[in-house]
Amino acid sequence: MSSLPATTSRFPVRAFGGPTALLEYGGLRFLTDPTFDGPGDYGRPGRPLLTKTAPSATTPADLGRVDVVLLSHDEHPDNLDTSGRDLLADVPLTLTTPGGGERLGGQLGEKVRGLADWESIELDRPGGGTITVTGVPALHGPGSREEVEPVAGQVVGFVLTGEGLPTVYVSGDNASLDAVREIAGRFPTVDTALLFAGAPRFPVLFDNQLIVLDSAQAAEAAAILGARRVVPVHYDSWAHFTEGRDDLTAAFTAAGLDDRLDWGRHN
């Protein structure tokens, strides 16, 4: 088996459990789907109950500076909880879905912006230059957008690029390999992919079909993207995940891609 290509740029990524990770990229600090509330039951009437089983590996106070939050969606407490919502007020910019931009805009104003598919924003880098963040397709369940979004809501993924910087893909709660193929067609040199996985299912949603990638699909997504490094997130700390770290390791090993896995450091 070949080793990880030497061209990979090992910028720091720290995974804190659930969907929350901190990327130090191009001089800016990006935080994905902030969730810091303690273990317990979460949800609201008419939605499946979500049970958090483990605390986050950090707290908002311990994160240090956060320049941008990449929020795949705001409607589910396992992607944005009460502590996460409080944090957004202290972050200069939150990027999310178009619908999320409208919902959060009343509180955050110009600090939040929704990105449609393939819509981009340029962010100034300390010392000069820019980082481009592009919203990319994601589907939180099986089927077409028209079938999925009325049930599970909008989700957006993100691609980060910049001159002299590696290309980074953040999948969000995406269950569609067709979306991954479309993204790979536009960004053929993905260096690092943060893949949301865990194979979550609910009997009351989509006949118990997957609403985010399972482990084998995550490995397939990595192959489609040609990703040199894969940081799995959102596969632990919640009871609705049906596959965890061991399943991901087995799937990537079976695909000959286990040398691409990076679990993110916590310190």
Side-chain angles (χ1 to χ4, degrees):
M1 183 181 300
S2 62
S3 61
L4 194 68
T7 53
T8 300
S9 298
R10 287 286 186 176
F11 63 90
V13 178
R14 285 176 282 175
F16 300 119
T20 308
L22 184 68
L23 296 71
E24 299 182 40
Y25 176 82
L28 296 178
R29 304 178 93 232
F30 295 83
L31 186 72
T32 65
D33 290 13
T35 54
F36 306 101
D37 291 352
D41 293 334
Y42 296 89
R44 62 179 190 265
R47 296 290 184 94
L49 183 69
L50 304 181
T51 301
K52 189 170 186 178
T53 58
S56 171
T58 193
T59 68
D62 291 332
L63 283 173
R65 188 188 85 249
V66 175
D67 298 300
V68 183
V69 167
L70 302 175
L71 177 59
S72 71
H73 58 303
D74 68 305
E75 297 179 275
H76 300 155
D78 59 326
N79 295 88
L80 181 67
D81 59 15
T82 300
S83 298
R85 286 179 186 273
D86 292 342
L87 175 71
L88 299 185
D90 297 323
V91 176
L93 179 65
T94 295
L95 300 175
T96 189
T97 64
E102 293 178 3
R103 282 184 294 273
L104 296 169
Q107 173 192 357
L108 300 173
E110 295 182 356
K111 287 187 171 186
V112 63
R113 174 169 169 176
L115 292 180
D117 291 349
W118 313 120
E119 184 179 1
S120 296
I121 182 173
E122 288 195 350
L123 309 176
D124 292 332
R125 296 175 60 183
T130 60
I131 293 170
T132 300
V133 182
T134 302
V136 295
L139 281 173
H140 203 354
S144 67
R145 176 159 289 175
E146 293 73 20
E147 295 167 322
V148 170
E149 289 188 351
V151 178
Q154 289 181 330
V155 178
V156 65
F158 304 94
V159 172
L160 281 59
T161 55
E163 184 176 355
L165 296 174
T167 298
V168 179
Y169 168 54
V170 179
S171 73
D173 272 3
N174 174 55
S176 171
L177 287 174
D178 285 341
V180 175
R181 293 184 184 96
E182 193 174 356
I183 293 159
R186 297 205 184 203
F187 297 94
T189 56
V190 171
D191 180 278
T192 296
L194 273 71
L195 296 181
F196 290 42
R201 306 172 187 266
F202 293 96
V204 298
L205 297 180
F206 307 112
D207 295 325
N208 210 40
Q209 296 183 74
L210 291 167
I211 61 171
V212 183
L213 301 177
D214 66 14
S215 300
Q217 290 172 328
E220 186 174 353
I224 292 167
L225 295 163
R228 298 181 175 97
R229 173 169 61 156
V230 176
V231 181
V233 294
H234 215 19
Y235 61 87
D236 63 1
S237 304
W238 291 88
H240 55 281
F241 295 128
T242 65
E243 297 181 4
R245 177 166 177 159
D246 290 347
D247 301 286
L248 282 159
T249 299
F252 274 74
T253 299
L257 299 173
D258 54 304
D259 58 343
R260 311 296 170 92
L261 287 172
D262 180 348
W263 299 101
R265 60 187 180 86
H266 291 304
N267 58 0

